[in-house]
Amino acid sequence: MKFRFPLLKSFRKHPTYMRIIFYFVSANVLVLAISFLVLYSQSSRTLVEEIGEHSESLLVNGAGNTARLMEWSLDFAFSSSNDSELKVYALSDHFSDYETYEVWNRLLGIKMSNPSIDSVYLINDYTDTVIDSRLGLNEASGFYDQDILNRLRDPAQSDQTVLIPRKLPEPLSEGAFKDVITIVRLYEKGSSISAFVLNVDTRELMTLLQNNSQYQDRIIMVLNDHNERVYSSIPLDGDQIQEYRDRADGMSGWEIYKPRDQENQLIVYSNASIKGIQNWSFIESIPRDLILKKIDVLRNLSILLFSGLFLASLAVTVLISKRVYSPIQDLVSNVMRQHQAETFGHGRSADELDYLSSVFTAQQEQIIELTDHWRHSKILGRERFLRELLGTGALSREEIKGQFEEWAIELPEENVSIVIFRIDYFPEFIDTYPEKDRRLLRFAMGNIVHESLRMTEHHLQTVDMGHDHIAVIISVNSQAEDFIANLKVAQQLVQQYLSIGTTVAWGEVQRCLSDIHEAYLETYELTQERFRFGHGAVIAKTGLEGNSGEVYHLPIDKERQLAQAIHKTNATAALEIIHQAVDALRLLPYFECKMSLITLFMDMRRLIQDQSAKPLPSSFGLTSVENQIIQLETLDNLVPWIDHMLTKALDDLAAARSQSKNAGFVEDVERIIASQLSNPNLSSKMLADELGLSVNYLRSLYKSETNRSITDTISQKRLECICRELLASDSPIEPIISAYGFSSLNTFYTVFKKVYGVTPAQYRKIYKKDGNKLT
């Protein structure tokens, strides 16, 4: 008796079909099992890592934004404290009600300029008063913020005058306090506590940080490098602050940590520097269970889902296998007809896949022959590899060596450097040529440079890096001076044949090819030095060693000379000072040179604005300067633009002054002042009587016409005369002072030192010896 097994018979008749079913089932079971195990064991860890990195990124951004906002507040506080009227008021031993009102109005304007500013006040140690943006004029002894007065009087605490985290009493709410960060600007450090004080509302400052996450139960805190609490979203004791502070090690990061007497937390921390004055640590704590609560539910549901999918997939596998097998049969039939193959019973394998394999093997041999033919033309592939090597630098030394062998690149593995030919006047280049023509021109540049340098340097590769430059990977055999001469020759050939001006930069020699990406970035940054050297420069890294890296600022005497030239609308004198400053910038590296130029332009803008009754146009803004730097590319091209802006502004200022209805009034006032400088009774009252005007009207009209007070003008002219007398003779100081209307010797010394930074005796000693005058 024979037993029949239909399934076995089907397997023998259609072995491929049965193998497909077996493979499908096996693969399905394996994939589902592995997926389930990986998901179940790694889901929490992976998601926590993603959340941790995302939270770290958010905190780093929030910390950076908060630090920049604090830096803005710090800069704003110091720029506001430089207001001459505020300084004079803080250092005066008497003042009128009108002057007090004017100063209070200025403080109120400073406070209203930024919602994060809580209050601003001015401390006058000479009158023992404080004028506050909230309450106006107060006696120091009854002022609600005794804490800051005690700090300034305490020598141990007076050195710390910026970024002071503290609690400020609410003046109108007894027992209420507000967290603030205080910035103090002392006007006479070591002599008095007269100061400008600005309080930043800590909660308003941290708004960006508070809105940084959707987790409501998280804890946010900010600590400074004095281990003081700047801000925390919940009350914390000293031990808790120290415990969290110990987790932040000076770098950004995150970790799962269990604080004392608490559940596991996701601790995220970041650090930011505030103007290099203080370092703040930003710490965020989120309960781990709050993060994974929904993840655990999802993981349990995934168990049920995978179980259902496994059962359903087993049922579907058989149907899919049948559908897969039918196209295979059709494919075999088509292949047999196309290749006139024999049937299964005439020497061919009965296994369909074996037959297809033999056919595909023959086709693969043909493909290999075509591939071998293609490998003889490797220009495009080689350039693509070199461009990726320079642009990303993600390959190891062994991988680079293997690629060099594959693409037949002849470069040594050590002592190579990068040369970049960067197109000058690139904005005009883009406007002149479409992208297709730009690629052709860069290709031609690469060929010209390659042929020029190959005559003296044997191992080099040129690479089209796109945009505005080509790069050369080269092993230099000649001396540095000779190689620079060769680069100039290649530069001249590009100019001669393509009419394209270039700036050439040669970077440092690299010992290892794996460092070539960093060398490329450094060399491209080196091309930025054309900003100070001009178009067509050939720049070598070795020739720039030892340059200063400090941002240039106008010396105080030059700034005063520039202010006087602008006040007098003397374009020739103003341009001479600007050109001298520009010459000094040429000695600085690119970044410092660029920042110094922007600073110089902003100083010039500020001085012009001080003399102008109307706001300057947007062409004087920072965005305009940066756009011009990008568009004009070099310092030489920027100087005519700056000259034009300065000359036009001075012409407009002169025209505005010539149209003033009260120009004759200013001349009369200054004429009387000049003739009465030796009169100790010279004052606004005397001038008002002389001109038949009221004192208040005289002061207001003069201020609106000249943007300075009558008192400042009288003091300035008297000081100028006294300075000339100090340098012209050896007479005692007291008679000279008395001759020019100063009745109080102490008042004169205070004013003189505040204006010139030295005492009269020191002034005479310094500038009489040098033959120069401090203006």
Side-chain angles (χ1 to χ4, degrees):
M1 182 177 179
K2 295 183 179 180
F3 294 91
R4 296 181 180 181
F5 298 92
L7 185 60
L8 182 61
K9 183 177 180 181
S10 177
F11 180 83
R12 290 176 177 175
K13 185 176 181 180
H14 302 289
T16 302
Y17 173 65
M18 300 309 298
R19 280 200 295 270
I20 289 174
I21 294 177
F22 177 77
Y23 294 153
F24 263 97
V25 173
S26 301
N28 185 52
V29 172
L30 183 61
V31 169
L32 289 177
I34 293 176
S35 300
F36 169 73
L37 293 175
V38 171
L39 179 64
Y40 196 88
S41 62
Q42 299 296 323
S43 60
S44 297
R45 182 189 308 171
T46 303
L47 289 171
V48 167
E49 290 177 354
E50 290 294 326
I51 293 172
E53 292 174 358
H54 179 66
S55 299
E56 177 189 347
S57 176
L58 291 177
L59 186 61
V60 169
N61 291 335
N65 291 334
T66 302
R68 284 189 287 274
L69 184 57
M70 187 67 253
E71 289 178 343
W72 182 92
S73 299
L74 187 60
D75 290 339
F76 180 72
F78 274 80
S79 63
S80 300
S81 68
N82 285 328
D83 189 304
S84 60
E85 188 166 337
L86 297 183
K87 287 183 180 180
V88 171
Y89 187 91
L91 298 173
S92 299
D93 55 1
H94 65 278
F95 39 78
S96 66
D97 292 342
Y98 178 79
E99 291 171 334
T100 299
Y101 172 77
E102 285 291 318
V103 169
W104 176 79
N105 199 37
R106 284 179 179 268
L107 295 180
L108 188 60
I110 293 171
K111 178 188 180 304
M112 298 302 294
S113 64
N114 188 334
S116 64
I117 296 176
D118 176 73
S119 57
V120 187
Y121 36 86
L122 200 64
I123 301 172
N124 187 324
D125 195 33
Y126 293 96
T127 61
D128 203 26
T129 58
V130 181
I131 182 167
D132 177 26
S133 60
R134 291 180 175 179
L135 305 180
L137 187 64
N138 304 267
E139 293 295 330
S141 60
F143 187 55
Y144 66 90
D145 188 7
Q146 290 297 313
D147 174 67
I148 197 64
L149 296 175
N150 294 333
R151 285 175 179 265
L152 295 179
R153 294 189 181 107
D154 185 359
Q157 296 182 339
S158 60
D159 289 337
Q160 184 180 354
T161 58
V162 294
L163 306 181
I164 307 171
R166 62 196 188 96
K167 288 190 176 294
L168 179 68
E170 292 284 356
L172 302 179
S173 300
E174 186 175 357
F177 292 87
K178 176 182 287 187
D179 286 332
V180 297
I181 300 171
T182 300
I183 303 168
V184 181
R185 171 71 186 280
L186 283 167
Y187 289 122
E188 291 181 321
K189 189 173 183 180
S191 299
S192 70
I193 64 167
S194 294
F196 174 90
V197 181
L198 185 144
N199 295 311
V200 179
D201 190 333
T202 305
R203 185 165 294 278
E204 288 292 333
L205 179 67
M206 301 298 171
T207 299
L208 296 176
L209 207 59
Q210 297 172 32
N211 299 332
N212 210 33
S213 174
Q214 72 275 18
Y215 297 111
Q216 300 299 324
D217 295 334
R218 78 190 198 282
I219 301 172
I220 301 174
M221 69 200 73
V222 182
L223 308 174
N224 64 18
D225 51 11
H226 298 296
N227 212 21
E228 298 174 317
R229 181 187 69 85
V230 177
Y231 170 78
S232 64
S233 57
I234 65 171
L236 298 173
D237 59 31
D239 292 339
Q240 290 175 313
I241 291 175
Q242 185 60 45
E243 185 175 10
Y244 282 115
R245 178 59 183 267
D246 291 341
R247 310 312 302 174
D249 57 356
M251 299 175 63
S252 63
W254 65 273
E255 64 179 325
I256 299 297
Y257 172 68
K258 187 179 186 309
R260 177 170 48 85
D261 300 329
Q262 296 185 43
E263 60 183 355
N264 283 335
Q265 304 281 320
L266 173 65
I267 305 295
V268 187
Y269 39 86
S270 177
N271 288 273
S273 176
I274 312 297
K275 286 286 187 182
I277 300 173
Q278 280 190 6
N279 292 322
W280 283 6
S281 297
F282 295 79
I283 305 171
E284 182 177 8
S285 175
I286 307 171
R288 183 179 183 275
D289 291 340
L290 182 64
I291 299 172
L292 299 180
K293 181 177 181 181
K294 294 182 179 180
I295 296 175
D296 291 335
V297 174
L298 178 62
R299 184 178 63 181
N300 295 332
L301 290 176
S302 299
I303 297 174
L304 299 177
L305 177 62
F306 272 109
S307 300
L309 287 175
F310 176 75
L311 296 175
S313 62
L314 290 178
V316 175
T317 297
V318 176
L319 298 177
I320 294 178
S321 300
K322 289 182 179 180
R323 290 185 179 274
V324 171
Y325 182 70
S326 296
I328 292 177
Q329 285 184 318
D330 296 338
L331 178 62
V332 172
S333 299
N334 292 334
V335 171
M336 290 175 62
R337 284 196 301 269
Q338 292 175 4
H339 294 84
Q340 299 179 354
E342 298 177 351
T343 61
F344 292 159
H346 291 78
R348 288 289 186 180
S349 171
D351 191 325
E352 301 96 330
L353 296 181
D354 289 343
Y355 175 72
L356 289 177
S357 177
S358 64
V359 174
F360 291 156
T361 299
Q363 293 179 344
Q364 182 67 21
E365 292 174 355
Q366 295 178 357
I367 292 174
I368 292 174
E369 292 177 0
L370 294 175
T371 302
D372 290 338
H373 176 72
W374 170 85
R375 287 183 182 276
H376 292 294
S377 178
K378 296 184 176 181
I379 296 177
L380 295 178
R382 180 190 299 116
E383 186 170 62
R384 182 167 55 252
F385 159 69
L386 292 174
R387 185 161 50 246
E388 293 175 354
L389 176 64
L390 295 180
T392 61
L395 300 179
S396 66
R397 184 171 184 175
E398 291 73 21
E399 291 173 332
I400 294 173
K401 183 177 180 180
Q403 291 289 331
F404 274 21
E405 293 176 356
E406 179 180 350
W407 297 107
I409 297 174
E410 296 182 1
L411 280 175
E413 297 180 28
E414 299 177 347
N415 298 327
V416 294
S417 57
I418 299 295
V419 177
I420 290 179
F421 286 73
R422 188 175 180 184
I423 299 172
D424 294 331
Y425 303 102
F426 191 65
E428 299 178 11
F429 185 77
I430 292 177
D431 294 337
T432 305
Y433 302 103
E435 176 58 27
K436 180 180 179 180
D437 292 342
R438 295 201 295 269
R439 288 198 299 268
L440 291 176
L441 287 171
R442 289 195 301 268
F443 177 77
M445 283 176 58
N447 288 338
I448 292 172
V449 172
H450 187 275
E451 293 301 319
S452 174
L453 297 180
R454 192 176 63 174
M455 299 175 64
T456 55
E457 314 295 337
H458 303 298
H459 298 292
L460 73 153
Q461 293 289 337
T462 57
V463 188
D464 178 8
M465 299 302 295
H467 194 54
D468 64 347
H469 67 287
I470 66 168
V472 183
I473 308 175
I474 191 167
S475 176
V476 180
N477 299 316
S478 56
Q479 297 294 325
E481 295 79 7
D482 296 335
F483 182 64
I484 292 175
N486 296 335
L487 293 178
K488 291 181 179 178
V489 171
Q491 182 188 48
Q492 292 169 0
L493 291 175
V494 171
Q495 176 68 39
Q496 176 182 347
Y497 290 110
L498 301 179
S499 299
I500 295 176
T502 57
T503 296
V504 184
W506 175 33
E508 292 181 333
V509 176
Q510 302 298 315
R511 295 184 178 181
C512 180
L513 274 172
S514 58
D515 298 330
I516 203 70
H517 168 62
E518 293 295 331
Y520 163 74
L521 296 179
E522 292 177 1
T523 306
Y524 185 82
E525 187 67 21
L526 199 60
T527 62
Q528 302 283 17
E529 297 293 339
R530 72 179 177 187
F531 180 75
R532 56 190 179 114
F533 292 131
H535 289 129
V538 177
I539 307 163
K541 178 67 175 178
T542 55
L544 299 178
E545 296 296 331
N547 286 340
S548 170
E550 297 181 357
V551 176
Y552 174 85
H553 295 276
L554 267 178
I556 186 170
D557 57 329
K558 294 296 182 183
E559 184 174 351
R560 286 180 176 144
Q561 291 174 12
L562 180 60
Q564 289 182 358
I566 291 174
H567 172 64
K568 297 177 181 178
T569 64
N570 187 345
T572 302
L575 290 175
E576 181 179 359
I577 296 171
I578 294 297
H579 292 169
Q580 291 174 358
V582 169
D583 290 338
L585 301 188
R586 298 181 189 276
L587 302 177
L588 302 177
Y590 163 70
F591 179 80
E592 288 76 9
C593 182
K594 174 182 174 182
M595 295 305 298
S596 299
L597 180 68
I598 293 174
T599 301
L600 176 64
F601 189 87
M602 290 298 101
D603 288 341
M604 182 184 77
R605 175 184 182 275
R606 172 175 54 80
L607 295 174
I608 295 173
Q609 184 65 75
D610 288 343
Q611 300 298 324
S612 176
K614 299 180 180 179
L616 294 177
S618 59
S619 56
F620 274 88
L622 180 60
T623 301
S624 176
V625 181
E626 293 178 340
N627 289 338
Q628 290 298 326
I629 290 175
I630 296 172
Q631 187 74 18
L632 301 178
E633 298 183 343
T634 69
L635 195 57
D636 290 334
N637 291 340
L638 276 165
V639 170
W641 176 76
I642 295 175
D643 292 351
H644 170 73
M645 295 291 290
L646 177 57
T647 303
K648 185 177 184 304
L650 295 183
D651 290 341
D652 293 342
L653 185 60
R657 288 178 178 174
S658 66
Q659 296 174 2
S660 173
K661 296 179 181 180
N662 299 297
F665 160 76
V666 175
E667 294 177 0
D668 291 341
V669 171
E670 294 187 349
R671 175 179 53 77
I672 297 172
I673 290 174
S675 64
Q676 297 293 329
L677 283 177
S678 60
N679 188 345
N681 296 320
L682 177 61
S683 63
S684 299
K685 178 69 170 60
M686 175 181 174
L687 293 171
D689 293 340
E690 182 76 18
L691 296 172
L693 302 173
S694 69
V695 176
N696 290 337
Y697 179 74
L698 174 71
R699 289 174 176 171
S700 176
L701 185 59
Y702 187 83
K703 180 74 172 181
S704 65
E705 289 297 319
T706 64
N707 202 30
R708 64 181 184 273
S709 68
I710 291 178
T711 303
D712 289 344
T713 301
I714 293 173
S715 296
Q716 176 186 343
K717 292 185 177 296
R718 282 176 168 171
L719 289 176
E720 289 175 356
C721 293
I722 290 172
C723 287
R724 286 195 293 270
E725 290 289 337
L726 289 174
L727 298 181
S729 69
D730 295 324
S731 300
I733 296 174
E734 287 76 3
I736 296 175
I737 294 171
S738 300
Y740 286 98
F742 278 98
S743 58
S744 172
L745 186 61
N746 291 335
T747 301
F748 166 74
Y749 271 81
T750 301
V751 174
F752 191 94
K753 189 170 184 181
K754 182 174 67 176
V755 173
Y756 295 107
V758 295
T759 65
Q762 291 172 333
Y763 180 93
R764 169 181 277 173
K765 181 178 180 180
I766 294 172
Y767 296 102
K768 192 170 185 179
K769 177 181 178 181
D770 295 341
N772 297 322
K773 182 180 179 182
L774 183 63
T775 58

